[in-house]
Amino acid sequence: MARLHDMLDSQTRKVFPRGHTQALDETLRAEVDARIRGYITLANVSFAICLQVPGWDARLRGALAGKAHLQRWYLQFNATLLRGNQEHFLLQTVGHEVAHLVVWAMYGVRVKPHGAEWKAVMRVFGLATRATHDYDVSALRRARAPFVYRCACPGELYLGGLRHQRVARGVTYFCRRCHTRIAFSHQCA
């Protein structure tokens, strides 16, 4: 088991620089590091395994709070959500993502991401077994796509720039509800 993680760790440094966390101040980086190390130590003692501390960064964007890259033995966190929900994030989200790595190391890929094995690890960590967060992500949402299209249904459909360009080049899109061809109406101001 240790050899597998040695291999993963060496690959991790090439793909994801270890500890790359430009978006966080030094104190917060140290706190995340300490939490990750604490959860890994707890897993090693509780399950009699020998896992290395994973690499991590805080460059995740959008509404995702965290993501575990299992085969790379690497974690990513959303710096914006971490700063806005620091106490809960450090406790719950960091533990949540470390639990995914622990489950993968113990059981492989043939278990559900938030299944019984993951829930058991979360209970060992003393954390709630929720699969999703309830952080405010309204400021993180992207603006509505700027190109308005219509079909036979009432209302409007919004397409982004890439799909709008494809329509201009002759690609045809159909409404999922009424199955009629959509047509360009106007661009949002």
PDB file of all heavy atoms in Angstrom, residues 55-90:
ATOM      1  N   GLY A  55      -1.355  16.140  -1.450  1.00  0.00           N
ATOM      2  CA  GLY A  55      -1.136  17.505  -1.886  1.00  0.00           C
ATOM      3  C   GLY A  55      -2.478  18.206  -2.022  1.00  0.00           C
ATOM      4  O   GLY A  55      -3.520  17.551  -2.064  1.00  0.00           O
ATOM      5  N   TRP A  56      -2.463  19.518  -2.071  1.00  0.00           N
ATOM      6  CA  TRP A  56      -3.730  20.243  -2.198  1.00  0.00           C
ATOM      7  C   TRP A  56      -3.483  21.651  -2.724  1.00  0.00           C
ATOM      8  O   TRP A  56      -2.376  22.156  -2.688  1.00  0.00           O
ATOM      9  CB  TRP A  56      -4.472  20.291  -0.862  1.00  0.00           C
ATOM     10  CG  TRP A  56      -3.803  21.119   0.191  1.00  0.00           C
ATOM     11  CD1 TRP A  56      -2.773  20.739   1.006  1.00  0.00           C
ATOM     12  CD2 TRP A  56      -4.097  22.473   0.532  1.00  0.00           C
ATOM     13  NE1 TRP A  56      -2.420  21.758   1.837  1.00  0.00           N
ATOM     14  CE2 TRP A  56      -3.213  22.840   1.575  1.00  0.00           C
ATOM     15  CE3 TRP A  56      -5.018  23.400   0.069  1.00  0.00           C
ATOM     16  CZ2 TRP A  56      -3.227  24.110   2.150  1.00  0.00           C
ATOM     17  CZ3 TRP A  56      -5.032  24.667   0.644  1.00  0.00           C
ATOM     18  CH2 TRP A  56      -4.152  25.004   1.676  1.00  0.00           C
ATOM     19  N   ASP A  57      -4.545  22.251  -3.226  1.00  0.00           N
ATOM     20  CA  ASP A  57      -4.514  23.654  -3.606  1.00  0.00           C
ATOM     21  C   ASP A  57      -5.896  24.249  -3.374  1.00  0.00           C
ATOM     22  O   ASP A  57      -6.832  23.535  -3.031  1.00  0.00           O
ATOM     23  CB  ASP A  57      -4.028  23.872  -5.050  1.00  0.00           C
ATOM     24  CG  ASP A  57      -4.989  23.381  -6.111  1.00  0.00           C
ATOM     25  OD1 ASP A  57      -6.205  23.633  -5.992  1.00  0.00           O
ATOM     26  OD2 ASP A  57      -4.538  22.752  -7.087  1.00  0.00           O
ATOM     27  N   ALA A  58      -5.998  25.543  -3.540  1.00  0.00           N
ATOM     28  CA  ALA A  58      -7.269  26.240  -3.322  1.00  0.00           C
ATOM     29  C   ALA A  58      -7.631  27.006  -4.590  1.00  0.00           C
ATOM     30  O   ALA A  58      -7.934  28.190  -4.550  1.00  0.00           O
ATOM     31  CB  ALA A  58      -7.170  27.167  -2.123  1.00  0.00           C
ATOM     32  N   ARG A  59      -7.608  26.308  -5.732  1.00  0.00           N
ATOM     33  CA  ARG A  59      -7.897  26.955  -7.010  1.00  0.00           C
ATOM     34  C   ARG A  59      -9.216  26.498  -7.616  1.00  0.00           C
ATOM     35  O   ARG A  59      -9.504  26.809  -8.759  1.00  0.00           O
ATOM     36  CB  ARG A  59      -6.762  26.680  -7.997  1.00  0.00           C
ATOM     37  CG  ARG A  59      -5.465  27.344  -7.585  1.00  0.00           C
ATOM     38  CD  ARG A  59      -4.413  27.135  -8.625  1.00  0.00           C
ATOM     39  NE  ARG A  59      -4.002  25.734  -8.601  1.00  0.00           N
ATOM     40  CZ  ARG A  59      -3.169  25.191  -9.473  1.00  0.00           C
ATOM     41  NH1 ARG A  59      -2.671  25.905 -10.438  1.00  0.00           N
ATOM     42  NH2 ARG A  59      -2.828  23.928  -9.370  1.00  0.00           N
ATOM     43  N   LEU A  60     -10.026  25.768  -6.869  1.00  0.00           N
ATOM     44  CA  LEU A  60     -11.306  25.300  -7.380  1.00  0.00           C
ATOM     45  C   LEU A  60     -12.250  26.491  -7.516  1.00  0.00           C
ATOM     46  O   LEU A  60     -12.273  27.379  -6.662  1.00  0.00           O
ATOM     47  CB  LEU A  60     -11.882  24.259  -6.429  1.00  0.00           C
ATOM     48  CG  LEU A  60     -13.018  23.386  -6.920  1.00  0.00           C
ATOM     49  CD1 LEU A  60     -12.608  22.600  -8.167  1.00  0.00           C
ATOM     50  CD2 LEU A  60     -13.440  22.421  -5.831  1.00  0.00           C
ATOM     51  N   ARG A  61     -13.025  26.499  -8.582  1.00  0.00           N
ATOM     52  CA  ARG A  61     -13.953  27.609  -8.828  1.00  0.00           C
ATOM     53  C   ARG A  61     -15.381  27.109  -8.932  1.00  0.00           C
ATOM     54  O   ARG A  61     -15.625  25.921  -9.012  1.00  0.00           O
ATOM     55  CB  ARG A  61     -13.574  28.322 -10.129  1.00  0.00           C
ATOM     56  CG  ARG A  61     -12.265  29.040 -10.014  1.00  0.00           C
ATOM     57  CD  ARG A  61     -11.950  29.729 -11.297  1.00  0.00           C
ATOM     58  NE  ARG A  61     -10.915  30.723 -11.073  1.00  0.00           N
ATOM     59  CZ  ARG A  61     -10.521  31.571 -11.966  1.00  0.00           C
ATOM     60  NH1 ARG A  61     -11.082  31.595 -13.149  1.00  0.00           N
ATOM     61  NH2 ARG A  61      -9.574  32.430 -11.689  1.00  0.00           N
ATOM     62  N   GLY A  62     -16.299  28.043  -8.982  1.00  0.00           N
ATOM     63  CA  GLY A  62     -17.703  27.694  -9.122  1.00  0.00           C
ATOM     64  C   GLY A  62     -18.330  27.387  -7.773  1.00  0.00           C
ATOM     65  O   GLY A  62     -17.891  27.865  -6.738  1.00  0.00           O
ATOM     66  N   ALA A  63     -19.363  26.550  -7.791  1.00  0.00           N
ATOM     67  CA  ALA A  63     -20.120  26.255  -6.580  1.00  0.00           C
ATOM     68  C   ALA A  63     -19.575  25.054  -5.818  1.00  0.00           C
ATOM     69  O   ALA A  63     -20.036  24.762  -4.720  1.00  0.00           O
ATOM     70  CB  ALA A  63     -21.583  26.018  -6.941  1.00  0.00           C
ATOM     71  N   LEU A  64     -18.604  24.337  -6.378  1.00  0.00           N
ATOM     72  CA  LEU A  64     -18.008  23.207  -5.670  1.00  0.00           C
ATOM     73  C   LEU A  64     -17.139  23.713  -4.528  1.00  0.00           C
ATOM     74  O   LEU A  64     -16.319  24.602  -4.711  1.00  0.00           O
ATOM     75  CB  LEU A  64     -17.132  22.373  -6.603  1.00  0.00           C
ATOM     76  CG  LEU A  64     -17.826  21.462  -7.599  1.00  0.00           C
ATOM     77  CD1 LEU A  64     -16.797  20.773  -8.469  1.00  0.00           C
ATOM     78  CD2 LEU A  64     -18.678  20.442  -6.876  1.00  0.00           C
ATOM     79  N   ALA A  65     -17.304  23.129  -3.355  1.00  0.00           N
ATOM     80  CA  ALA A  65     -16.494  23.522  -2.205  1.00  0.00           C
ATOM     81  C   ALA A  65     -15.156  22.786  -2.211  1.00  0.00           C
ATOM     82  O   ALA A  65     -14.130  23.337  -1.848  1.00  0.00           O
ATOM     83  CB  ALA A  65     -17.242  23.241  -0.911  1.00  0.00           C
ATOM     84  N   GLY A  66     -15.182  21.531  -2.632  1.00  0.00           N
ATOM     85  CA  GLY A  66     -13.961  20.747  -2.640  1.00  0.00           C
ATOM     86  C   GLY A  66     -14.065  19.600  -3.621  1.00  0.00           C
ATOM     87  O   GLY A  66     -15.155  19.225  -4.047  1.00  0.00           O
ATOM     88  N   LYS A  67     -12.909  19.038  -3.955  1.00  0.00           N
ATOM     89  CA  LYS A  67     -12.871  17.927  -4.884  1.00  0.00           C
ATOM     90  C   LYS A  67     -11.662  17.062  -4.553  1.00  0.00           C
ATOM     91  O   LYS A  67     -10.566  17.574  -4.330  1.00  0.00           O
ATOM     92  CB  LYS A  67     -12.762  18.436  -6.324  1.00  0.00           C
ATOM     93  CG  LYS A  67     -12.850  17.356  -7.365  1.00  0.00           C
ATOM     94  CD  LYS A  67     -12.919  17.939  -8.754  1.00  0.00           C
ATOM     95  CE  LYS A  67     -13.098  16.821  -9.760  1.00  0.00           C
ATOM     96  NZ  LYS A  67     -13.237  17.330 -11.106  1.00  0.00           N
ATOM     97  N   ALA A  68     -11.871  15.746  -4.513  1.00  0.00           N
ATOM     98  CA  ALA A  68     -10.781  14.808  -4.252  1.00  0.00           C
ATOM     99  C   ALA A  68     -10.400  14.131  -5.569  1.00  0.00           C
ATOM    100  O   ALA A  68     -11.240  13.518  -6.219  1.00  0.00           O
ATOM    101  CB  ALA A  68     -11.225  13.759  -3.232  1.00  0.00           C
ATOM    102  N   HIS A  69      -9.144  14.272  -5.945  1.00  0.00           N
ATOM    103  CA  HIS A  69      -8.616  13.578  -7.125  1.00  0.00           C
ATOM    104  C   HIS A  69      -7.994  12.285  -6.614  1.00  0.00           C
ATOM    105  O   HIS A  69      -6.862  12.280  -6.116  1.00  0.00           O
ATOM    106  CB  HIS A  69      -7.577  14.448  -7.840  1.00  0.00           C
ATOM    107  CG  HIS A  69      -8.147  15.715  -8.381  1.00  0.00           C
ATOM    108  ND1 HIS A  69      -8.739  15.790  -9.621  1.00  0.00           N
ATOM    109  CD2 HIS A  69      -8.249  16.951  -7.836  1.00  0.00           C
ATOM    110  CE1 HIS A  69      -9.157  17.028  -9.824  1.00  0.00           C
ATOM    111  NE2 HIS A  69      -8.872  17.745  -8.755  1.00  0.00           N
ATOM    112  N   LEU A  70      -8.750  11.212  -6.709  1.00  0.00           N
ATOM    113  CA  LEU A  70      -8.395   9.971  -6.038  1.00  0.00           C
ATOM    114  C   LEU A  70      -7.075   9.378  -6.525  1.00  0.00           C
ATOM    115  O   LEU A  70      -6.191   9.099  -5.729  1.00  0.00           O
ATOM    116  CB  LEU A  70      -9.533   8.958  -6.207  1.00  0.00           C
ATOM    117  CG  LEU A  70     -10.913   9.446  -5.728  1.00  0.00           C
ATOM    118  CD1 LEU A  70     -11.976   8.416  -6.034  1.00  0.00           C
ATOM    119  CD2 LEU A  70     -10.877   9.795  -4.259  1.00  0.00           C
ATOM    120  N   GLN A  71      -6.945   9.174  -7.813  1.00  0.00           N
ATOM    121  CA  GLN A  71      -5.753   8.516  -8.328  1.00  0.00           C
ATOM    122  C   GLN A  71      -4.518   9.411  -8.256  1.00  0.00           C
ATOM    123  O   GLN A  71      -3.400   8.913  -8.275  1.00  0.00           O
ATOM    124  CB  GLN A  71      -5.992   8.028  -9.746  1.00  0.00           C
ATOM    125  CG  GLN A  71      -7.045   6.935  -9.772  1.00  0.00           C
ATOM    126  CD  GLN A  71      -7.365   6.453 -11.161  1.00  0.00           C
ATOM    127  OE1 GLN A  71      -7.033   7.111 -12.142  1.00  0.00           O
ATOM    128  NE2 GLN A  71      -8.014   5.305 -11.253  1.00  0.00           N
ATOM    129  N   ARG A  72      -4.706  10.694  -8.151  1.00  0.00           N
ATOM    130  CA  ARG A  72      -3.569  11.613  -8.017  1.00  0.00           C
ATOM    131  C   ARG A  72      -3.237  11.907  -6.564  1.00  0.00           C
ATOM    132  O   ARG A  72      -2.268  12.589  -6.278  1.00  0.00           O
ATOM    133  CB  ARG A  72      -3.864  12.920  -8.752  1.00  0.00           C
ATOM    134  CG  ARG A  72      -3.957  12.713 -10.240  1.00  0.00           C
ATOM    135  CD  ARG A  72      -4.228  14.031 -10.921  1.00  0.00           C
ATOM    136  NE  ARG A  72      -4.277  13.836 -12.353  1.00  0.00           N
ATOM    137  CZ  ARG A  72      -5.130  14.443 -13.148  1.00  0.00           C
ATOM    138  NH1 ARG A  72      -6.002  15.301 -12.648  1.00  0.00           N
ATOM    139  NH2 ARG A  72      -5.121  14.230 -14.431  1.00  0.00           N
ATOM    140  N   TRP A  73      -4.101  11.436  -5.653  1.00  0.00           N
ATOM    141  CA  TRP A  73      -3.939  11.647  -4.212  1.00  0.00           C
ATOM    142  C   TRP A  73      -3.783  13.132  -3.939  1.00  0.00           C
ATOM    143  O   TRP A  73      -2.800  13.620  -3.380  1.00  0.00           O
ATOM    144  CB  TRP A  73      -2.744  10.853  -3.674  1.00  0.00           C
ATOM    145  CG  TRP A  73      -2.816  10.594  -2.210  1.00  0.00           C
ATOM    146  CD1 TRP A  73      -2.010  11.156  -1.257  1.00  0.00           C
ATOM    147  CD2 TRP A  73      -3.724   9.753  -1.512  1.00  0.00           C
ATOM    148  NE1 TRP A  73      -2.379  10.707  -0.012  1.00  0.00           N
ATOM    149  CE2 TRP A  73      -3.424   9.837  -0.142  1.00  0.00           C
ATOM    150  CE3 TRP A  73      -4.778   8.938  -1.908  1.00  0.00           C
ATOM    151  CZ2 TRP A  73      -4.129   9.137   0.828  1.00  0.00           C
ATOM    152  CZ3 TRP A  73      -5.475   8.234  -0.944  1.00  0.00           C
ATOM    153  CH2 TRP A  73      -5.149   8.345   0.395  1.00  0.00           C
ATOM    154  N   TYR A  74      -4.800  13.873  -4.373  1.00  0.00           N
ATOM    155  CA  TYR A  74      -4.728  15.321  -4.363  1.00  0.00           C
ATOM    156  C   TYR A  74      -6.100  15.904  -4.055  1.00  0.00           C
ATOM    157  O   TYR A  74      -7.122  15.377  -4.494  1.00  0.00           O
ATOM    158  CB  TYR A  74      -4.247  15.813  -5.734  1.00  0.00           C
ATOM    159  CG  TYR A  74      -3.748  17.217  -5.732  1.00  0.00           C
ATOM    160  CD1 TYR A  74      -2.476  17.529  -5.288  1.00  0.00           C
ATOM    161  CD2 TYR A  74      -4.553  18.251  -6.175  1.00  0.00           C
ATOM    162  CE1 TYR A  74      -2.012  18.835  -5.285  1.00  0.00           C
ATOM    163  CE2 TYR A  74      -4.099  19.555  -6.175  1.00  0.00           C
ATOM    164  CZ  TYR A  74      -2.825  19.833  -5.725  1.00  0.00           C
ATOM    165  OH  TYR A  74      -2.368  21.123  -5.715  1.00  0.00           O
ATOM    166  N   LEU A  75      -6.129  16.996  -3.312  1.00  0.00           N
ATOM    167  CA  LEU A  75      -7.370  17.678  -2.957  1.00  0.00           C
ATOM    168  C   LEU A  75      -7.371  19.082  -3.530  1.00  0.00           C
ATOM    169  O   LEU A  75      -6.325  19.728  -3.588  1.00  0.00           O
ATOM    170  CB  LEU A  75      -7.521  17.767  -1.438  1.00  0.00           C
ATOM    171  CG  LEU A  75      -7.544  16.455  -0.673  1.00  0.00           C
ATOM    172  CD1 LEU A  75      -7.501  16.715   0.816  1.00  0.00           C
ATOM    173  CD2 LEU A  75      -8.768  15.649  -1.045  1.00  0.00           C
ATOM    174  N   GLN A  76      -8.552  19.548  -3.928  1.00  0.00           N
ATOM    175  CA  GLN A  76      -8.718  20.934  -4.352  1.00  0.00           C
ATOM    176  C   GLN A  76      -9.865  21.537  -3.549  1.00  0.00           C
ATOM    177  O   GLN A  76     -10.873  20.875  -3.297  1.00  0.00           O
ATOM    178  CB  GLN A  76      -9.056  21.020  -5.842  1.00  0.00           C
ATOM    179  CG  GLN A  76      -7.873  20.778  -6.737  1.00  0.00           C
ATOM    180  CD  GLN A  76      -8.216  21.108  -8.169  1.00  0.00           C
ATOM    181  OE1 GLN A  76      -9.138  20.543  -8.736  1.00  0.00           O
ATOM    182  NE2 GLN A  76      -7.481  22.041  -8.741  1.00  0.00           N
ATOM    183  N   PHE A  77      -9.682  22.805  -3.162  1.00  0.00           N
ATOM    184  CA  PHE A  77     -10.698  23.512  -2.401  1.00  0.00           C
ATOM    185  C   PHE A  77     -10.993  24.854  -3.058  1.00  0.00           C
ATOM    186  O   PHE A  77     -10.163  25.405  -3.772  1.00  0.00           O
ATOM    187  CB  PHE A  77     -10.230  23.743  -0.955  1.00  0.00           C
ATOM    188  CG  PHE A  77      -9.971  22.468  -0.208  1.00  0.00           C
ATOM    189  CD1 PHE A  77      -8.674  22.077   0.097  1.00  0.00           C
ATOM    190  CD2 PHE A  77     -11.011  21.647   0.173  1.00  0.00           C
ATOM    191  CE1 PHE A  77      -8.425  20.902   0.775  1.00  0.00           C
ATOM    192  CE2 PHE A  77     -10.776  20.459   0.842  1.00  0.00           C
ATOM    193  CZ  PHE A  77      -9.477  20.090   1.142  1.00  0.00           C
ATOM    194  N   ASN A  78     -12.182  25.371  -2.786  1.00  0.00           N
ATOM    195  CA  ASN A  78     -12.618  26.647  -3.307  1.00  0.00           C
ATOM    196  C   ASN A  78     -12.232  27.733  -2.301  1.00  0.00           C
ATOM    197  O   ASN A  78     -12.797  27.809  -1.203  1.00  0.00           O
ATOM    198  CB  ASN A  78     -14.134  26.621  -3.523  1.00  0.00           C
ATOM    199  CG  ASN A  78     -14.655  27.837  -4.199  1.00  0.00           C
ATOM    200  OD1 ASN A  78     -14.258  28.949  -3.900  1.00  0.00           O
ATOM    201  ND2 ASN A  78     -15.590  27.637  -5.114  1.00  0.00           N
ATOM    202  N   ALA A  79     -11.254  28.560  -2.648  1.00  0.00           N
ATOM    203  CA  ALA A  79     -10.746  29.591  -1.740  1.00  0.00           C
ATOM    204  C   ALA A  79     -11.828  30.592  -1.336  1.00  0.00           C
ATOM    205  O   ALA A  79     -11.870  31.039  -0.183  1.00  0.00           O
ATOM    206  CB  ALA A  79      -9.567  30.320  -2.372  1.00  0.00           C
ATOM    207  N   THR A  80     -12.707  30.945  -2.267  1.00  0.00           N
ATOM    208  CA  THR A  80     -13.764  31.921  -1.966  1.00  0.00           C
ATOM    209  C   THR A  80     -14.714  31.371  -0.910  1.00  0.00           C
ATOM    210  O   THR A  80     -15.054  32.061   0.060  1.00  0.00           O
ATOM    211  CB  THR A  80     -14.541  32.280  -3.250  1.00  0.00           C
ATOM    212  OG1 THR A  80     -13.612  32.723  -4.230  1.00  0.00           O
ATOM    213  CG2 THR A  80     -15.581  33.348  -2.983  1.00  0.00           C
ATOM    214  N   LEU A  81     -15.140  30.123  -1.069  1.00  0.00           N
ATOM    215  CA  LEU A  81     -16.041  29.512  -0.089  1.00  0.00           C
ATOM    216  C   LEU A  81     -15.322  29.268   1.233  1.00  0.00           C
ATOM    217  O   LEU A  81     -15.924  29.395   2.298  1.00  0.00           O
ATOM    218  CB  LEU A  81     -16.623  28.209  -0.637  1.00  0.00           C
ATOM    219  CG  LEU A  81     -17.581  28.353  -1.814  1.00  0.00           C
ATOM    220  CD1 LEU A  81     -18.047  26.992  -2.296  1.00  0.00           C
ATOM    221  CD2 LEU A  81     -18.774  29.216  -1.440  1.00  0.00           C
ATOM    222  N   LEU A  82     -14.045  28.931   1.172  1.00  0.00           N
ATOM    223  CA  LEU A  82     -13.264  28.730   2.396  1.00  0.00           C
ATOM    224  C   LEU A  82     -13.188  30.012   3.211  1.00  0.00           C
ATOM    225  O   LEU A  82     -13.422  30.015   4.422  1.00  0.00           O
ATOM    226  CB  LEU A  82     -11.860  28.229   2.044  1.00  0.00           C
ATOM    227  CG  LEU A  82     -10.823  28.150   3.169  1.00  0.00           C
ATOM    228  CD1 LEU A  82     -11.334  27.352   4.353  1.00  0.00           C
ATOM    229  CD2 LEU A  82      -9.538  27.545   2.643  1.00  0.00           C
ATOM    230  N   ARG A  83     -12.890  31.130   2.549  1.00  0.00           N
ATOM    231  CA  ARG A  83     -12.792  32.406   3.258  1.00  0.00           C
ATOM    232  C   ARG A  83     -14.137  32.830   3.847  1.00  0.00           C
ATOM    233  O   ARG A  83     -14.200  33.379   4.937  1.00  0.00           O
ATOM    234  CB  ARG A  83     -12.272  33.503   2.330  1.00  0.00           C
ATOM    235  CG  ARG A  83     -10.772  33.525   2.265  1.00  0.00           C
ATOM    236  CD  ARG A  83     -10.286  34.784   1.553  1.00  0.00           C
ATOM    237  NE  ARG A  83      -9.396  34.395   0.474  1.00  0.00           N
ATOM    238  CZ  ARG A  83      -9.728  34.232  -0.791  1.00  0.00           C
ATOM    239  NH1 ARG A  83     -10.951  34.455  -1.202  1.00  0.00           N
ATOM    240  NH2 ARG A  83      -8.847  33.858  -1.679  1.00  0.00           N
ATOM    241  N   GLY A  84     -15.217  32.577   3.135  1.00  0.00           N
ATOM    242  CA  GLY A  84     -16.541  33.011   3.583  1.00  0.00           C
ATOM    243  C   GLY A  84     -17.181  32.116   4.630  1.00  0.00           C
ATOM    244  O   GLY A  84     -18.135  32.524   5.292  1.00  0.00           O
ATOM    245  N   ASN A  85     -16.691  30.894   4.781  1.00  0.00           N
ATOM    246  CA  ASN A  85     -17.289  29.930   5.710  1.00  0.00           C
ATOM    247  C   ASN A  85     -16.185  29.196   6.463  1.00  0.00           C
ATOM    248  O   ASN A  85     -16.211  27.976   6.609  1.00  0.00           O
ATOM    249  CB  ASN A  85     -18.133  28.914   4.938  1.00  0.00           C
ATOM    250  CG  ASN A  85     -19.136  29.566   4.031  1.00  0.00           C
ATOM    251  OD1 ASN A  85     -20.189  29.980   4.479  1.00  0.00           O
ATOM    252  ND2 ASN A  85     -18.812  29.678   2.755  1.00  0.00           N
ATOM    253  N   GLN A  86     -15.208  29.927   6.924  1.00  0.00           N
ATOM    254  CA  GLN A  86     -13.945  29.368   7.389  1.00  0.00           C
ATOM    255  C   GLN A  86     -14.087  28.246   8.424  1.00  0.00           C
ATOM    256  O   GLN A  86     -13.556  27.157   8.236  1.00  0.00           O
ATOM    257  CB  GLN A  86     -13.068  30.489   7.950  1.00  0.00           C
ATOM    258  CG  GLN A  86     -11.657  30.069   8.201  1.00  0.00           C
ATOM    259  CD  GLN A  86     -10.768  31.266   8.490  1.00  0.00           C
ATOM    260  OE1 GLN A  86     -11.009  32.362   8.008  1.00  0.00           O
ATOM    261  NE2 GLN A  86      -9.752  31.050   9.286  1.00  0.00           N
ATOM    262  N   GLU A  87     -14.803  28.484   9.500  1.00  0.00           N
ATOM    263  CA  GLU A  87     -14.875  27.498  10.578  1.00  0.00           C
ATOM    264  C   GLU A  87     -15.523  26.191  10.108  1.00  0.00           C
ATOM    265  O   GLU A  87     -14.982  25.107  10.302  1.00  0.00           O
ATOM    266  CB  GLU A  87     -15.647  28.081  11.760  1.00  0.00           C
ATOM    267  CG  GLU A  87     -15.632  27.192  12.974  1.00  0.00           C
ATOM    268  CD  GLU A  87     -16.339  27.840  14.152  1.00  0.00           C
ATOM    269  OE1 GLU A  87     -16.265  29.077  14.301  1.00  0.00           O
ATOM    270  OE2 GLU A  87     -16.967  27.092  14.913  1.00  0.00           O
ATOM    271  N   HIS A  88     -16.693  26.304   9.494  1.00  0.00           N
ATOM    272  CA  HIS A  88     -17.403  25.108   9.021  1.00  0.00           C
ATOM    273  C   HIS A  88     -16.632  24.421   7.907  1.00  0.00           C
ATOM    274  O   HIS A  88     -16.564  23.199   7.853  1.00  0.00           O
ATOM    275  CB  HIS A  88     -18.813  25.481   8.553  1.00  0.00           C
ATOM    276  CG  HIS A  88     -19.644  24.292   8.207  1.00  0.00           C
ATOM    277  ND1 HIS A  88     -19.714  23.798   6.924  1.00  0.00           N
ATOM    278  CD2 HIS A  88     -20.410  23.482   8.973  1.00  0.00           C
ATOM    279  CE1 HIS A  88     -20.509  22.739   6.911  1.00  0.00           C
ATOM    280  NE2 HIS A  88     -20.938  22.533   8.143  1.00  0.00           N
ATOM    281  N   PHE A  89     -16.060  25.189   7.002  1.00  0.00           N
ATOM    282  CA  PHE A  89     -15.315  24.643   5.864  1.00  0.00           C
ATOM    283  C   PHE A  89     -14.134  23.815   6.357  1.00  0.00           C
ATOM    284  O   PHE A  89     -13.914  22.697   5.898  1.00  0.00           O
ATOM    285  CB  PHE A  89     -14.820  25.785   4.971  1.00  0.00           C
ATOM    286  CG  PHE A  89     -14.352  25.351   3.618  1.00  0.00           C
ATOM    287  CD1 PHE A  89     -15.143  25.547   2.499  1.00  0.00           C
ATOM    288  CD2 PHE A  89     -13.114  24.751   3.430  1.00  0.00           C
ATOM    289  CE1 PHE A  89     -14.720  25.161   1.236  1.00  0.00           C
ATOM    290  CE2 PHE A  89     -12.666  24.360   2.184  1.00  0.00           C
ATOM    291  CZ  PHE A  89     -13.482  24.565   1.079  1.00  0.00           C
ATOM    292  N   LEU A  90     -13.357  24.376   7.293  1.00  0.00           N
ATOM    293  CA  LEU A  90     -12.184  23.661   7.806  1.00  0.00           C
ATOM    294  C   LEU A  90     -12.571  22.364   8.492  1.00  0.00           C
ATOM    295  O   LEU A  90     -11.870  21.365   8.389  1.00  0.00           O
ATOM    296  CB  LEU A  90     -11.404  24.552   8.774  1.00  0.00           C
ATOM    297  CG  LEU A  90     -10.634  25.697   8.137  1.00  0.00           C
ATOM    298  CD1 LEU A  90     -10.148  26.666   9.193  1.00  0.00           C
ATOM    299  CD2 LEU A  90      -9.475  25.177   7.298  1.00  0.00           C
TER     300      LEU A  90
END
